Amino acid sequence: MNTEIRIENLSKRFGQKQALRNVSLYFETGMYGLLGRNGAGKTTFMRVLSTLLNKSGGTVTVCGIPVENAKEVRKLVGYLPQDFSVYPGMTVYQAMDYLGTLSELSSSERAKRIPMLLQKVNLDDCHKLKVKALSGGMKRRLGIAQALLHDPRVLIVDEPTAGLDPEERIRFRNLLCEMAADRIVILSTHIVEDIEKTCQNIAILDKGQIIYQGSLLDFVGDEAGLENAYMKKMGAQQ
Ligand SMILES: Nc1ncnc2c1ncn2[C@@H]1O[C@H](COP(=O)(O)OP(=O)(O)OP(=O)(O)O)[C@@H](O)[C@H]1O
């Protein structure tokens, strides 16, 4: 099974509101940055890929499987939403174990994967802590660990570093890069620096349409950095 996502002419309407219009994109193993203003359609796009929203038109396949086959696609996709929060009264281990049960992992798979994932996100010392006692950065790392419980081929993260201190942001970025070595990671954020430091390829959404897709280096061209190139592009889109 090839690790790839093919999107052709994807559209999504909410009543009269056209949130996505003729979006066509292709992803293969690696890390991709998704940029766009507030309301551009980024979350809608990620929710369609994660099968949490039905599309209105077009085709989307994840590793060859159409998103309409939500049960199968969910096995392939891990999603960390913007507002991730889980069971504050549970310990870190209990929360992971419960989420693993919801993902239909057997008890032996959970016993194997949970310690391995907590170690990967550097939370192995915290497995007995209550979720509500975790810092913002630790919660985000727990979010990644839960999104990886079923070892998905695709990891989609929405605004994961907002509000994190610089050290925690860099740690989180490194973790995502590590995850992208053998899967597709799609990172949506307004923090342009996070994308500049981690992604070789970017896509920019504006008013529901793709206005750039391709290499970050090509996009930046002769500009001083991604932020400058991005501001210039967005200025031209007004
Ligand atoms: N459930 C919904 N019902 C109606 N309109 C919606 C719904 N969800 C999103 N929209 C609209 O679709 C458009 C795209 O929203 P979306 O949340 O995907 O944007 P975004 O790029 O993620 O924004 P932000 O950067 O602010 O998170 C917006 O105009 C939004 O108001």
Side-chain angles (χ1 to χ4, degrees):
M1 182 187 281
N2 281 349
T3 300
E4 60 166 29
I5 303 175
R6 285 181 191 276
I7 301 163
E8 278 161 28
N9 292 319
L10 168 64
S11 68
K12 174 67 190 175
R13 279 185 305 277
F14 297 105
Q16 295 298 308
K17 173 80 200 173
Q18 181 99 36
L20 295 172
R21 191 188 297 266
N22 293 331
V23 170
S24 296
L25 287 170
Y26 177 73
F27 299 90
E28 53 193 1
T29 302
M31 178 120 172
Y32 295 80
L34 184 60
L35 284 163
R37 295 186 179 102
N38 289 125
K42 303 178 298 298
T43 300
T44 304
F45 175 74
M46 289 182 283
R47 287 174 60 83
V48 170
L49 292 194
S50 311
T51 76
L52 300 174
L53 268 180
N54 292 327
K55 59 188 167 56
S56 309
T59 57
V60 179
T61 58
V62 179
C63 305
I65 301 174
V67 280
E68 286 82 353
N69 191 345
K71 194 160 186 264
E72 288 307 308
V73 169
R74 277 180 198 182
K75 291 182 189 162
L76 300 168
V77 178
Y79 180 47
L80 174 57
Q82 207 167 343
D83 50 1
F84 170 76
S85 62
V86 282
Y87 323 113
M90 286 188 189
T91 67
V92 165
Y93 194 96
Q94 285 167 339
M96 286 287 284
D97 199 48
Y98 183 60
L99 290 164
T101 312
L102 295 183
S103 293
E104 297 180 8
L105 296 185
S106 68
S107 60
S108 65
E109 282 172 310
R110 298 197 307 275
K112 202 168 74 188
R113 287 194 62 74
I114 294 171
M116 184 271 287
L117 286 168
L118 290 179
Q119 190 182 20
K120 196 162 258 195
V121 302
N122 207 10
L123 284 178
D124 40 341
D125 287 345
C126 308
H127 66 280
K128 287 186 181 156
L129 277 187
K130 291 258 166 81
V131 170
K132 65 184 168 198
L134 300 181
S135 71
M138 290 156 98
K139 267 188 205 142
R140 302 285 209 306
R141 283 188 267 136
L142 176 60
I144 286 289
Q146 65 80 31
L148 292 171
L149 264 169
H150 56 301
D151 198 14
R153 306 309 313 139
V154 178
L155 178 64
I156 300 176
V157 285
D158 194 354
E159 281 283 348
T161 60
L164 299 189
D165 66 41
E167 204 181 331
E168 190 64 76
R169 252 179 65 207
I170 290 166
R171 189 206 294 257
F172 199 90
R173 282 196 321 226
N174 292 343
L175 180 61
L176 290 181
C177 287
E178 197 187 313
M179 299 299 117
D182 58 356
R183 45 172 76 75
I184 296 171
V185 175
I186 302 176
L187 164 67
S188 170
T189 179
H190 293 289
I191 304 175
V192 175
E193 189 199 337
D194 283 349
I195 288 185
E196 187 161 32
K197 288 281 196 311
T198 55
C199 301
Q200 272 144 15
N201 291 290
I202 60 169
I204 304 178
L205 268 171
D206 191 48
K207 302 185 190 92
Q209 287 181 291
I210 293 291
I211 57 168
Y212 179 81
Q213 62 180 110
S215 118
L216 184 143
L217 284 179
D218 286 348
F219 182 75
V220 173
D222 295 333
E223 296 294 330
L226 178 60
E227 184 144 4
N228 280 16
Y230 178 63
M231 295 309 281
K232 201 164 174 179
K233 179 87 175 164
M234 297 321 277
Q237 290 297 128
Q238 292 293 352

